Amino acid sequence: MSILPIIKEPASSLRQESQPILAVTPDIKRLILDMGQTMKSAKGVGLAAPQIGQNIRLCIISTEKGPLVLINPKITWKSLRKDVEEEGCLSCPNAYIKVKRSKLIHVKALNEKGQIFSFKATGYFARVIQHEVDHLNGILIIDK
Ligand code: ZN
């Protein structure tokens, strides 16, 4: 495993729409492990592939049980009820911005084995997922 350099704003790759992953290849699996290591070393709560220079639809979220891997994540439903919290981003050092996000979301994604799964997320967990999915669409907190 290796720690990857984190791309910082204003790199243009952070503003691109990322492409879907067609197959969970050994290269993707290696990338997932490297991203886990990178997120841990940077003390991040989430990391999206564009942040390490790969414009593919992959992100990981830090949880108590270890990194949650989301491949081609789709937010299939989001609550109209929102709240506002301050967020930071490993790609936007020194920026702490209040962002309005849905309180409850439904998510569908593939896991690291390429299996489809879906779940509901609330509160801080839902916020982190929305932040990472924004990255896959080329959106940063400073654009909010
Ligand atoms: Zn971020």
Side-chain angles (χ1 to χ4, degrees):
M1 281 194 277
S2 43
I3 293 171
L4 306 165
I6 293 175
I7 309 277
K8 307 269 168 35
E9 197 275 326
S12 62
S13 63
L14 292 171
R15 293 311 207 309
Q16 285 172 32
E17 178 126 4
S18 288
Q19 297 303 308
I21 291 175
L22 302 177
V24 185
T25 60
D27 280 350
I28 297 282
K29 287 182 179 169
R30 190 169 323 114
L31 186 66
I32 289 168
L33 293 175
D34 288 347
M35 283 175 66
Q37 194 79 348
T38 304
M39 178 173 72
K40 199 173 163 188
S41 92
K43 298 184 167 56
V45 292
L47 187 67
Q51 294 183 277
I52 45 93
Q54 300 274 342
N55 282 107
I56 52 175
R57 301 189 81 81
L58 161 65
C59 60
I60 59 172
I61 316 283
S62 173
T63 74
E64 283 175 9
K65 296 178 210 158
L68 171 70
V69 176
L70 301 177
I71 296 171
N72 302 338
K74 277 207 172 76
I75 296 173
T76 55
W77 182 85
K78 47 171 80 176
S79 65
L80 293 174
R81 291 186 64 184
K82 297 182 178 185
D83 56 16
V84 177
E85 295 284 347
E86 206 166 71
E87 293 180 20
C89 178
L90 295 173
S91 294
C92 311
N94 309 317
Y96 297 92
I97 292 170
K98 286 187 172 163
V99 184
K100 197 189 256 188
R101 304 268 191 204
S102 290
K103 289 177 152 202
L104 172 65
I105 58 173
H106 295 181
V107 183
K108 196 185 252 186
L110 300 178
N111 66 15
E112 61 272 38
K113 294 174 187 151
Q115 299 158 329
I116 196 158
F117 71 116
S118 55
F119 61 96
K120 294 173 185 174
T122 59
Y124 182 68
F125 185 42
R127 174 169 294 277
V128 176
I129 293 169
Q130 290 171 82
H131 177 120
E132 300 310 327
V133 171
D134 272 354
H135 274 300
L136 304 182
N137 294 322
I139 299 165
L140 300 174
I141 51 171
I142 55 174
D143 305 325
K144 289 285 190 180

